[in-house]
Each structure stands twice: as structure tokens, then as C-alpha cells.
PDB file of all heavy atoms in Angstrom:
ATOM      1  N   VAL A 584     131.857 -82.598-149.597  1.00  0.00           N
ATOM      2  CA  VAL A 584     131.833 -83.993-150.011  1.00  0.00           C
ATOM      3  C   VAL A 584     131.539 -84.712-148.674  1.00  0.00           C
ATOM      4  O   VAL A 584     130.734 -85.623-148.540  1.00  0.00           O
ATOM      5  CB  VAL A 584     133.237 -84.549-150.504  1.00  0.00           C
ATOM      6  CG1 VAL A 584     133.238 -86.003-150.650  1.00  0.00           C
ATOM      7  CG2 VAL A 584     133.433 -83.789-151.862  1.00  0.00           C
ATOM      8  N   ARG A 585     132.278 -84.372-147.555  1.00  0.00           N
ATOM      9  CA  ARG A 585     132.025 -84.878-146.167  1.00  0.00           C
ATOM     10  C   ARG A 585     132.292 -83.795-145.250  1.00  0.00           C
ATOM     11  O   ARG A 585     133.352 -83.327-144.996  1.00  0.00           O
ATOM     12  CB  ARG A 585     132.981 -86.138-145.995  1.00  0.00           C
ATOM     13  CG  ARG A 585     132.797 -86.702-144.566  1.00  0.00           C
ATOM     14  CD  ARG A 585     133.681 -87.875-144.392  1.00  0.00           C
ATOM     15  NE  ARG A 585     133.396 -88.393-143.047  1.00  0.00           N
ATOM     16  CZ  ARG A 585     134.043 -89.344-142.530  1.00  0.00           C
ATOM     17  NH1 ARG A 585     134.957 -90.059-143.285  1.00  0.00           N
ATOM     18  NH2 ARG A 585     133.791 -89.792-141.227  1.00  0.00           N
ATOM     19  N   PRO A 586     131.200 -83.334-144.703  1.00  0.00           N
ATOM     20  CA  PRO A 586     131.341 -82.114-143.729  1.00  0.00           C
ATOM     21  C   PRO A 586     132.176 -82.564-142.455  1.00  0.00           C
ATOM     22  O   PRO A 586     132.151 -83.748-142.092  1.00  0.00           O
ATOM     23  CB  PRO A 586     129.940 -81.819-143.368  1.00  0.00           C
ATOM     24  CG  PRO A 586     129.193 -83.058-143.497  1.00  0.00           C
ATOM     25  CD  PRO A 586     129.838 -83.869-144.609  1.00  0.00           C
ATOM     26  N   CYS A 587     132.898 -81.552-141.907  1.00  0.00           N
ATOM     27  CA  CYS A 587     133.487 -81.996-140.767  1.00  0.00           C
ATOM     28  C   CYS A 587     133.633 -80.734-139.922  1.00  0.00           C
ATOM     29  O   CYS A 587     133.807 -79.522-140.362  1.00  0.00           O
ATOM     30  CB  CYS A 587     134.858 -82.711-140.859  1.00  0.00           C
ATOM     31  SG  CYS A 587     136.123 -81.644-141.738  1.00  0.00           S
ATOM     32  N   TYR A 588     133.745 -80.885-138.574  1.00  0.00           N
ATOM     33  CA  TYR A 588     134.011 -79.785-137.648  1.00  0.00           C
ATOM     34  C   TYR A 588     134.876 -80.324-136.477  1.00  0.00           C
ATOM     35  O   TYR A 588     134.320 -80.638-135.459  1.00  0.00           O
ATOM     36  CB  TYR A 588     132.687 -79.381-137.135  1.00  0.00           C
ATOM     37  CG  TYR A 588     132.754 -78.070-136.207  1.00  0.00           C
ATOM     38  CD1 TYR A 588     133.424 -76.975-136.488  1.00  0.00           C
ATOM     39  CD2 TYR A 588     132.136 -78.130-134.831  1.00  0.00           C
ATOM     40  CE1 TYR A 588     133.368 -75.810-135.629  1.00  0.00           C
ATOM     41  CE2 TYR A 588     132.310 -77.182-134.048  1.00  0.00           C
ATOM     42  CZ  TYR A 588     132.851 -76.015-134.441  1.00  0.00           C
ATOM     43  OH  TYR A 588     133.071 -74.906-133.583  1.00  0.00           O
ATOM     44  N   PRO A 589     136.186 -80.429-136.680  1.00  0.00           N
ATOM     45  CA  PRO A 589     137.054 -80.802-135.625  1.00  0.00           C
ATOM     46  C   PRO A 589     137.073 -79.873-134.681  1.00  0.00           C
ATOM     47  O   PRO A 589     137.358 -78.565-134.794  1.00  0.00           O
ATOM     48  CB  PRO A 589     138.369 -81.084-136.362  1.00  0.00           C
ATOM     49  CG  PRO A 589     138.294 -80.343-137.590  1.00  0.00           C
ATOM     50  CD  PRO A 589     136.898 -80.216-138.025  1.00  0.00           C
ATOM     51  N   ILE A 590     136.895 -80.293-133.311  1.00  0.00           N
ATOM     52  CA  ILE A 590     136.833 -79.411-132.182  1.00  0.00           C
ATOM     53  C   ILE A 590     138.323 -79.295-131.598  1.00  0.00           C
ATOM     54  O   ILE A 590     138.960 -80.224-131.307  1.00  0.00           O
ATOM     55  CB  ILE A 590     136.028 -79.871-131.092  1.00  0.00           C
ATOM     56  CG1 ILE A 590     134.510 -80.030-131.584  1.00  0.00           C
ATOM     57  CG2 ILE A 590     136.041 -79.167-129.777  1.00  0.00           C
ATOM     58  CD1 ILE A 590     133.652 -80.629-130.526  1.00  0.00           C
ATOM     59  N   SER A 591     138.833 -78.009-131.499  1.00  0.00           N
ATOM     60  CA  SER A 591     140.074 -77.793-130.985  1.00  0.00           C
ATOM     61  C   SER A 591     140.098 -77.448-129.501  1.00  0.00           C
ATOM     62  O   SER A 591     141.068 -77.659-128.729  1.00  0.00           O
ATOM     63  CB  SER A 591     140.898 -76.699-131.750  1.00  0.00           C
ATOM     64  OG  SER A 591     140.177 -75.506-131.747  1.00  0.00           O
ATOM     65  N   GLU A 592     138.920 -76.859-129.016  1.00  0.00           N
ATOM     66  CA  GLU A 592     138.935 -76.581-127.686  1.00  0.00           C
ATOM     67  C   GLU A 592     137.478 -76.801-127.092  1.00  0.00           C
ATOM     68  O   GLU A 592     136.484 -76.546-127.936  1.00  0.00           O
ATOM     69  CB  GLU A 592     139.151 -75.068-127.417  1.00  0.00           C
ATOM     70  CG  GLU A 592     140.538 -74.455-127.759  1.00  0.00           C
ATOM     71  CD  GLU A 592     140.572 -73.019-127.643  1.00  0.00           C
ATOM     72  OE1 GLU A 592     139.909 -72.481-126.698  1.00  0.00           O
ATOM     73  OE2 GLU A 592     141.321 -72.445-128.472  1.00  0.00           O
ATOM     74  N   ALA A 593     137.366 -77.238-125.966  1.00  0.00           N
ATOM     75  CA  ALA A 593     135.990 -77.509-125.425  1.00  0.00           C
ATOM     76  C   ALA A 593     136.137 -77.198-123.885  1.00  0.00           C
ATOM     77  O   ALA A 593     136.877 -77.760-123.145  1.00  0.00           O
ATOM     78  CB  ALA A 593     135.494 -78.874-125.581  1.00  0.00           C
ATOM     79  N   SER A 594     135.299 -76.247-123.402  1.00  0.00           N
ATOM     80  CA  SER A 594     135.273 -75.897-121.960  1.00  0.00           C
ATOM     81  C   SER A 594     133.932 -75.798-121.401  1.00  0.00           C
ATOM     82  O   SER A 594     133.018 -75.402-122.004  1.00  0.00           O
ATOM     83  CB  SER A 594     135.833 -74.311-122.014  1.00  0.00           C
ATOM     84  OG  SER A 594     137.055 -74.245-122.608  1.00  0.00           O
ATOM     85  N   GLU A 595     133.772 -76.497-120.309  1.00  0.00           N
ATOM     86  CA  GLU A 595     132.648 -76.324-119.472  1.00  0.00           C
ATOM     87  C   GLU A 595     132.580 -74.990-118.731  1.00  0.00           C
ATOM     88  O   GLU A 595     133.561 -74.573-118.204  1.00  0.00           O
ATOM     89  CB  GLU A 595     132.695 -77.511-118.369  1.00  0.00           C
ATOM     90  CG  GLU A 595     131.347 -77.761-117.688  1.00  0.00           C
ATOM     91  CD  GLU A 595     131.376 -76.884-116.398  1.00  0.00           C
ATOM     92  OE1 GLU A 595     132.361 -76.624-115.846  1.00  0.00           O
ATOM     93  OE2 GLU A 595     130.226 -76.207-116.171  1.00  0.00           O
ATOM     94  N   LEU A 596     131.393 -74.370-118.918  1.00  0.00           N
ATOM     95  CA  LEU A 596     131.234 -73.027-118.400  1.00  0.00           C
ATOM     96  C   LEU A 596     130.507 -72.935-117.089  1.00  0.00           C
ATOM     97  O   LEU A 596     130.284 -71.824-116.570  1.00  0.00           O
ATOM     98  CB  LEU A 596     130.592 -71.992-119.394  1.00  0.00           C
ATOM     99  CG  LEU A 596     131.289 -71.998-120.756  1.00  0.00           C
ATOM    100  CD1 LEU A 596     130.442 -71.089-121.695  1.00  0.00           C
ATOM    101  CD2 LEU A 596     132.636 -71.289-120.550  1.00  0.00           C
ATOM    102  N   GLY A 597     129.915 -73.971-116.750  1.00  0.00           N
ATOM    103  CA  GLY A 597     129.023 -73.888-115.580  1.00  0.00           C
ATOM    104  C   GLY A 597     127.613 -73.620-115.969  1.00  0.00           C
ATOM    105  O   GLY A 597     127.407 -73.385-117.297  1.00  0.00           O
ATOM    106  N   ASP A 598     126.650 -73.700-115.193  1.00  0.00           N
ATOM    107  CA  ASP A 598     125.194 -73.352-115.621  1.00  0.00           C
ATOM    108  C   ASP A 598     124.811 -74.255-116.843  1.00  0.00           C
ATOM    109  O   ASP A 598     124.069 -73.916-117.618  1.00  0.00           O
ATOM    110  CB  ASP A 598     125.072 -71.878-115.915  1.00  0.00           C
ATOM    111  CG  ASP A 598     125.254 -71.047-114.788  1.00  0.00           C
ATOM    112  OD1 ASP A 598     124.852 -71.402-113.699  1.00  0.00           O
ATOM    113  OD2 ASP A 598     125.674 -69.887-115.010  1.00  0.00           O
ATOM    114  N   ASP A 599     125.391 -75.580-116.916  1.00  0.00           N
ATOM    115  CA  ASP A 599     125.116 -76.507-117.966  1.00  0.00           C
ATOM    116  C   ASP A 599     125.419 -75.806-119.408  1.00  0.00           C
ATOM    117  O   ASP A 599     124.644 -76.156-120.279  1.00  0.00           O
ATOM    118  CB  ASP A 599     123.691 -77.027-117.859  1.00  0.00           C
ATOM    119  CG  ASP A 599     123.449 -77.874-116.654  1.00  0.00           C
ATOM    120  OD1 ASP A 599     124.461 -78.678-116.354  1.00  0.00           O
ATOM    121  OD2 ASP A 599     122.408 -77.750-115.999  1.00  0.00           O
ATOM    122  N   ARG A 600     126.399 -75.076-119.398  1.00  0.00           N
ATOM    123  CA  ARG A 600     126.781 -74.573-120.691  1.00  0.00           C
ATOM    124  C   ARG A 600     128.249 -74.953-121.200  1.00  0.00           C
ATOM    125  O   ARG A 600     129.088 -75.199-120.237  1.00  0.00           O
ATOM    126  CB  ARG A 600     126.940 -73.014-120.785  1.00  0.00           C
ATOM    127  CG  ARG A 600     125.508 -72.483-120.559  1.00  0.00           C
ATOM    128  CD  ARG A 600     125.411 -70.864-120.700  1.00  0.00           C
ATOM    129  NE  ARG A 600     126.430 -70.322-119.819  1.00  0.00           N
ATOM    130  CZ  ARG A 600     126.828 -69.087-120.017  1.00  0.00           C
ATOM    131  NH1 ARG A 600     126.546 -68.279-120.920  1.00  0.00           N
ATOM    132  NH2 ARG A 600     127.828 -68.628-119.247  1.00  0.00           N
ATOM    133  N   VAL A 601     128.527 -75.167-122.397  1.00  0.00           N
ATOM    134  CA  VAL A 601     129.754 -75.708-122.937  1.00  0.00           C
ATOM    135  C   VAL A 601     130.153 -74.721-124.111  1.00  0.00           C
ATOM    136  O   VAL A 601     129.387 -74.335-125.002  1.00  0.00           O
ATOM    137  CB  VAL A 601     129.623 -77.068-123.430  1.00  0.00           C
ATOM    138  CG1 VAL A 601     130.883 -77.460-124.249  1.00  0.00           C
ATOM    139  CG2 VAL A 601     129.244 -78.064-122.353  1.00  0.00           C
ATOM    140  N   LEU A 602     131.490 -74.208-124.071  1.00  0.00           N
ATOM    141  CA  LEU A 602     131.988 -73.459-125.166  1.00  0.00           C
ATOM    142  C   LEU A 602     132.911 -74.257-126.014  1.00  0.00           C
ATOM    143  O   LEU A 602     133.763 -74.861-125.394  1.00  0.00           O
ATOM    144  CB  LEU A 602     132.728 -72.081-124.625  1.00  0.00           C
ATOM    145  CG  LEU A 602     133.456 -71.329-125.603  1.00  0.00           C
ATOM    146  CD1 LEU A 602     132.650 -70.552-126.613  1.00  0.00           C
ATOM    147  CD2 LEU A 602     134.343 -70.410-124.775  1.00  0.00           C
ATOM    148  N   ILE A 603     132.819 -74.276-127.360  1.00  0.00           N
ATOM    149  CA  ILE A 603     133.723 -75.105-128.097  1.00  0.00           C
ATOM    150  C   ILE A 603     134.181 -74.087-129.139  1.00  0.00           C
ATOM    151  O   ILE A 603     133.645 -73.060-129.529  1.00  0.00           O
ATOM    152  CB  ILE A 603     133.082 -76.275-128.818  1.00  0.00           C
ATOM    153  CG1 ILE A 603     132.068 -75.958-129.656  1.00  0.00           C
ATOM    154  CG2 ILE A 603     132.641 -77.317-127.600  1.00  0.00           C
ATOM    155  CD1 ILE A 603     131.503 -77.047-130.674  1.00  0.00           C
ATOM    156  N   ARG A 604     135.400 -74.496-129.667  1.00  0.00           N
ATOM    157  CA  ARG A 604     135.998 -73.785-130.803  1.00  0.00           C
ATOM    158  C   ARG A 604     136.606 -74.850-131.685  1.00  0.00           C
ATOM    159  O   ARG A 604     137.044 -75.883-131.295  1.00  0.00           O
ATOM    160  CB  ARG A 604     137.151 -73.017-130.282  1.00  0.00           C
ATOM    161  CG  ARG A 604     137.789 -72.075-131.269  1.00  0.00           C
ATOM    162  CD  ARG A 604     138.979 -71.183-130.704  1.00  0.00           C
ATOM    163  NE  ARG A 604     139.298 -70.120-131.483  1.00  0.00           N
ATOM    164  CZ  ARG A 604     140.059 -69.214-131.143  1.00  0.00           C
ATOM    165  NH1 ARG A 604     140.777 -69.244-129.920  1.00  0.00           N
ATOM    166  NH2 ARG A 604     140.413 -68.297-131.867  1.00  0.00           N
ATOM    167  N   GLY A 605     136.335 -74.705-133.082  1.00  0.00           N
ATOM    168  CA  GLY A 605     136.733 -75.630-134.008  1.00  0.00           C
ATOM    169  C   GLY A 605     136.867 -75.010-135.475  1.00  0.00           C
ATOM    170  O   GLY A 605     136.812 -73.796-135.597  1.00  0.00           O
ATOM    171  N   GLU A 606     136.955 -75.871-136.406  1.00  0.00           N
ATOM    172  CA  GLU A 606     137.179 -75.463-137.818  1.00  0.00           C
ATOM    173  C   GLU A 606     135.990 -76.270-138.564  1.00  0.00           C
ATOM    174  O   GLU A 606     135.907 -77.379-138.601  1.00  0.00           O
ATOM    175  CB  GLU A 606     138.534 -75.777-138.413  1.00  0.00           C
ATOM    176  CG  GLU A 606     139.676 -75.170-137.685  1.00  0.00           C
ATOM    177  CD  GLU A 606     139.649 -73.607-137.966  1.00  0.00           C
ATOM    178  OE1 GLU A 606     139.429 -73.281-139.160  1.00  0.00           O
ATOM    179  OE2 GLU A 606     140.000 -72.982-136.991  1.00  0.00           O
ATOM    180  N   LEU A 607     135.108 -75.411-139.203  1.00  0.00           N
ATOM    181  CA  LEU A 607     134.020 -76.046-140.004  1.00  0.00           C
ATOM    182  C   LEU A 607     134.415 -76.064-141.439  1.00  0.00           C
ATOM    183  O   LEU A 607     134.912 -75.033-141.906  1.00  0.00           O
ATOM    184  CB  LEU A 607     132.691 -75.250-139.814  1.00  0.00           C
ATOM    185  CG  LEU A 607     131.589 -75.461-140.673  1.00  0.00           C
ATOM    186  CD1 LEU A 607     131.083 -76.892-140.272  1.00  0.00           C
ATOM    187  CD2 LEU A 607     130.478 -74.531-140.604  1.00  0.00           C
ATOM    188  N   GLY A 608     134.214 -77.144-142.103  1.00  0.00           N
ATOM    189  CA  GLY A 608     134.448 -77.250-143.525  1.00  0.00           C
ATOM    190  C   GLY A 608     134.574 -78.552-144.027  1.00  0.00           C
ATOM    191  O   GLY A 608     133.982 -79.416-143.647  1.00  0.00           O
ATOM    192  N   GLY A 609     135.514 -78.742-145.005  1.00  0.00           N
ATOM    193  CA  GLY A 609     135.760 -79.991-145.635  1.00  0.00           C
ATOM    194  C   GLY A 609     136.149 -79.822-147.085  1.00  0.00           C
ATOM    195  O   GLY A 609     136.515 -78.716-147.452  1.00  0.00           O
ATOM    196  N   LYS A 610     136.012 -80.763-147.825  1.00  0.00           N
ATOM    197  CA  LYS A 610     136.237 -80.692-149.305  1.00  0.00           C
ATOM    198  C   LYS A 610     135.103 -80.306-150.005  1.00  0.00           C
ATOM    199  O   LYS A 610     134.018 -80.921-149.816  1.00  0.00           O
ATOM    200  CB  LYS A 610     136.748 -82.178-149.819  1.00  0.00           C
ATOM    201  CG  LYS A 610     137.303 -82.070-151.179  1.00  0.00           C
ATOM    202  CD  LYS A 610     137.846 -83.508-151.644  1.00  0.00           C
ATOM    203  CE  LYS A 610     138.408 -83.544-152.938  1.00  0.00           C
ATOM    204  NZ  LYS A 610     138.900 -84.921-153.315  1.00  0.00           N
ATOM    205  N   GLY A 611     135.055 -79.189-150.761  1.00  0.00           N
ATOM    206  CA  GLY A 611     133.917 -78.789-151.429  1.00  0.00           C
ATOM    207  C   GLY A 611     133.409 -79.794-152.464  1.00  0.00           C
ATOM    208  O   GLY A 611     134.214 -80.276-153.324  1.00  0.00           O
ATOM    209  N   ALA A 612     132.030 -79.884-152.469  1.00  0.00           N
ATOM    210  CA  ALA A 612     131.411 -80.954-153.436  1.00  0.00           C
ATOM    211  C   ALA A 612     131.589 -80.473-154.837  1.00  0.00           C
ATOM    212  O   ALA A 612     131.749 -81.233-155.819  1.00  0.00           O
ATOM    213  CB  ALA A 612     129.956 -81.164-153.023  1.00  0.00           C
ATOM    214  N   ALA A 613     131.504 -79.148-155.159  1.00  0.00           N
ATOM    215  CA  ALA A 613     131.662 -78.716-156.520  1.00  0.00           C
ATOM    216  C   ALA A 613     132.949 -78.349-156.932  1.00  0.00           C
ATOM    217  O   ALA A 613     133.373 -78.721-158.100  1.00  0.00           O
ATOM    218  CB  ALA A 613     130.782 -77.422-156.664  1.00  0.00           C
ATOM    219  N   SER A 614     133.740 -77.679-155.974  1.00  0.00           N
ATOM    220  CA  SER A 614     135.238 -77.224-156.394  1.00  0.00           C
ATOM    221  C   SER A 614     136.191 -78.424-156.120  1.00  0.00           C
ATOM    222  O   SER A 614     137.234 -78.346-156.718  1.00  0.00           O
ATOM    223  CB  SER A 614     135.608 -76.120-155.578  1.00  0.00           C
ATOM    224  OG  SER A 614     135.755 -76.316-154.114  1.00  0.00           O
ATOM    225  N   GLY A 615     136.018 -79.327-155.068  1.00  0.00           N
ATOM    226  CA  GLY A 615     137.106 -80.174-154.742  1.00  0.00           C
ATOM    227  C   GLY A 615     138.106 -79.575-153.818  1.00  0.00           C
ATOM    228  O   GLY A 615     139.188 -80.268-153.500  1.00  0.00           O
ATOM    229  N   ILE A 616     137.954 -78.329-153.553  1.00  0.00           N
ATOM    230  CA  ILE A 616     139.010 -77.592-152.738  1.00  0.00           C
ATOM    231  C   ILE A 616     138.582 -77.692-151.188  1.00  0.00           C
ATOM    232  O   ILE A 616     137.480 -77.546-150.875  1.00  0.00           O
ATOM    233  CB  ILE A 616     138.990 -76.154-153.117  1.00  0.00           C
ATOM    234  CG1 ILE A 616     139.294 -75.971-154.508  1.00  0.00           C
ATOM    235  CG2 ILE A 616     139.898 -75.459-152.212  1.00  0.00           C
ATOM    236  CD1 ILE A 616     139.293 -74.510-155.092  1.00  0.00           C
ATOM    237  N   GLU A 617     139.651 -78.063-150.433  1.00  0.00           N
ATOM    238  CA  GLU A 617     139.391 -78.119-148.938  1.00  0.00           C
ATOM    239  C   GLU A 617     139.461 -76.699-148.441  1.00  0.00           C
ATOM    240  O   GLU A 617     140.277 -75.878-148.830  1.00  0.00           O
ATOM    241  CB  GLU A 617     140.543 -78.915-148.272  1.00  0.00           C
ATOM    242  CG  GLU A 617     140.155 -80.327-148.223  1.00  0.00           C
ATOM    243  CD  GLU A 617     141.019 -81.162-147.164  1.00  0.00           C
ATOM    244  OE1 GLU A 617     141.889 -80.475-146.556  1.00  0.00           O
ATOM    245  OE2 GLU A 617     140.711 -82.282-147.074  1.00  0.00           O
ATOM    246  N   MET A 618     138.427 -76.418-147.589  1.00  0.00           N
ATOM    247  CA  MET A 618     138.341 -75.153-147.032  1.00  0.00           C
ATOM    248  C   MET A 618     137.749 -75.239-145.568  1.00  0.00           C
ATOM    249  O   MET A 618     136.782 -76.019-145.375  1.00  0.00           O
ATOM    250  CB  MET A 618     137.433 -74.125-147.880  1.00  0.00           C
ATOM    251  CG  MET A 618     137.383 -72.840-147.277  1.00  0.00           C
ATOM    252  SD  MET A 618     136.731 -71.444-148.518  1.00  0.00           S
ATOM    253  CE  MET A 618     135.236 -72.327-149.070  1.00  0.00           C
ATOM    254  N   PHE A 619     138.242 -74.487-144.620  1.00  0.00           N
ATOM    255  CA  PHE A 619     137.829 -74.523-143.242  1.00  0.00           C
ATOM    256  C   PHE A 619     137.566 -72.974-142.773  1.00  0.00           C
ATOM    257  O   PHE A 619     138.423 -72.137-143.247  1.00  0.00           O
ATOM    258  CB  PHE A 619     138.768 -75.218-142.476  1.00  0.00           C
ATOM    259  CG  PHE A 619     138.726 -76.649-142.695  1.00  0.00           C
ATOM    260  CD1 PHE A 619     139.541 -77.218-143.577  1.00  0.00           C
ATOM    261  CD2 PHE A 619     137.848 -77.531-142.018  1.00  0.00           C
ATOM    262  CE1 PHE A 619     139.577 -78.606-143.823  1.00  0.00           C
ATOM    263  CE2 PHE A 619     137.859 -78.861-142.230  1.00  0.00           C
ATOM    264  CZ  PHE A 619     138.843 -79.476-143.162  1.00  0.00           C
ATOM    265  N   SER A 620     136.685 -72.709-141.955  1.00  0.00           N
ATOM    266  CA  SER A 620     136.413 -71.563-141.312  1.00  0.00           C
ATOM    267  C   SER A 620     136.334 -71.811-139.787  1.00  0.00           C
ATOM    268  O   SER A 620     135.744 -72.730-139.347  1.00  0.00           O
ATOM    269  CB  SER A 620     135.098 -70.890-141.750  1.00  0.00           C
ATOM    270  OG  SER A 620     135.241 -70.608-143.127  1.00  0.00           O
ATOM    271  N   SER A 621     136.869 -70.873-138.967  1.00  0.00           N
ATOM    272  CA  SER A 621     136.953 -70.916-137.542  1.00  0.00           C
ATOM    273  C   SER A 621     135.415 -70.746-137.161  1.00  0.00           C
ATOM    274  O   SER A 621     134.789 -69.848-137.697  1.00  0.00           O
ATOM    275  CB  SER A 621     137.775 -69.823-137.011  1.00  0.00           C
ATOM    276  OG  SER A 621     137.809 -69.911-135.511  1.00  0.00           O
ATOM    277  N   LEU A 622     134.995 -71.589-136.240  1.00  0.00           N
ATOM    278  CA  LEU A 622     133.605 -71.514-135.735  1.00  0.00           C
ATOM    279  C   LEU A 622     133.564 -71.840-134.231  1.00  0.00           C
ATOM    280  O   LEU A 622     134.122 -72.951-133.839  1.00  0.00           O
ATOM    281  CB  LEU A 622     132.804 -72.396-136.541  1.00  0.00           C
ATOM    282  CG  LEU A 622     131.168 -72.319-136.170  1.00  0.00           C
ATOM    283  CD1 LEU A 622     130.595 -71.036-136.490  1.00  0.00           C
ATOM    284  CD2 LEU A 622     130.374 -73.390-136.812  1.00  0.00           C
ATOM    285  N   SER A 623     133.008 -71.052-133.427  1.00  0.00           N
ATOM    286  CA  SER A 623     132.834 -71.237-132.116  1.00  0.00           C
ATOM    287  C   SER A 623     131.331 -71.409-131.842  1.00  0.00           C
ATOM    288  O   SER A 623     130.538 -70.890-132.450  1.00  0.00           O
ATOM    289  CB  SER A 623     133.453 -70.113-131.223  1.00  0.00           C
ATOM    290  OG  SER A 623     134.854 -69.970-131.418  1.00  0.00           O
ATOM    291  N   ALA A 624     130.957 -72.103-130.724  1.00  0.00           N
ATOM    292  CA  ALA A 624     129.591 -72.485-130.290  1.00  0.00           C
ATOM    293  C   ALA A 624     129.489 -72.455-128.947  1.00  0.00           C
ATOM    294  O   ALA A 624     130.312 -72.858-128.140  1.00  0.00           O
ATOM    295  CB  ALA A 624     129.065 -73.717-130.964  1.00  0.00           C
ATOM    296  N   VAL A 625     128.357 -71.957-128.390  1.00  0.00           N
ATOM    297  CA  VAL A 625     127.913 -72.017-126.958  1.00  0.00           C
ATOM    298  C   VAL A 625     126.668 -72.963-126.872  1.00  0.00           C
ATOM    299  O   VAL A 625     125.738 -72.754-127.628  1.00  0.00           O
ATOM    300  CB  VAL A 625     127.665 -70.657-126.341  1.00  0.00           C
ATOM    301  CG1 VAL A 625     127.276 -70.783-124.909  1.00  0.00           C
ATOM    302  CG2 VAL A 625     128.793 -69.849-126.534  1.00  0.00           C
ATOM    303  N   TYR A 626     126.803 -74.050-126.116  1.00  0.00           N
ATOM    304  CA  TYR A 626     125.725 -74.982-126.013  1.00  0.00           C
ATOM    305  C   TYR A 626     125.266 -74.856-124.598  1.00  0.00           C
ATOM    306  O   TYR A 626     125.871 -74.891-123.740  1.00  0.00           O
ATOM    307  CB  TYR A 626     126.069 -76.430-126.390  1.00  0.00           C
ATOM    308  CG  TYR A 626     126.455 -76.644-127.822  1.00  0.00           C
ATOM    309  CD1 TYR A 626     127.769 -76.661-128.223  1.00  0.00           C
ATOM    310  CD2 TYR A 626     125.431 -76.910-128.618  1.00  0.00           C
ATOM    311  CE1 TYR A 626     128.089 -76.882-129.585  1.00  0.00           C
ATOM    312  CE2 TYR A 626     125.800 -77.162-129.965  1.00  0.00           C
ATOM    313  CZ  TYR A 626     127.092 -77.082-130.440  1.00  0.00           C
ATOM    314  OH  TYR A 626     127.403 -77.363-131.640  1.00  0.00           O
ATOM    315  N   THR A 627     123.911 -74.802-124.532  1.00  0.00           N
ATOM    316  CA  THR A 627     123.123 -75.134-123.179  1.00  0.00           C
ATOM    317  C   THR A 627     122.512 -76.380-123.174  1.00  0.00           C
ATOM    318  O   THR A 627     121.915 -76.746-124.193  1.00  0.00           O
ATOM    319  CB  THR A 627     122.181 -73.914-122.980  1.00  0.00           C
ATOM    320  OG1 THR A 627     122.811 -72.666-123.083  1.00  0.00           O
ATOM    321  CG2 THR A 627     121.497 -74.056-121.636  1.00  0.00           C
TER     322      THR A 627
END
């Protein structure tokens, strides 16, 4: 219904890289159920 990815951790790694950790999810458009999955990312 409305996607979200709240970030719980963000770390600068050097070499212009950032590591984040958060929960991807939201309220399901079809089911109406809220669900989140842990998701980490590395950005350059």
C-alpha cells in the first residue's frame, strides 16, 4: 500500500561506500497484512 524501508543501521565504510541495514516491507496491497524482511545494502 505504501512501501517502506526504515534504516536501523548506517555505516560509512571508506572508499565512498556505505553499508545499511533495515526492514523492507509495509502493508500488503492485496492482503492488508503488514510484513517486513531484513534487508542490507552496500552503496558505492
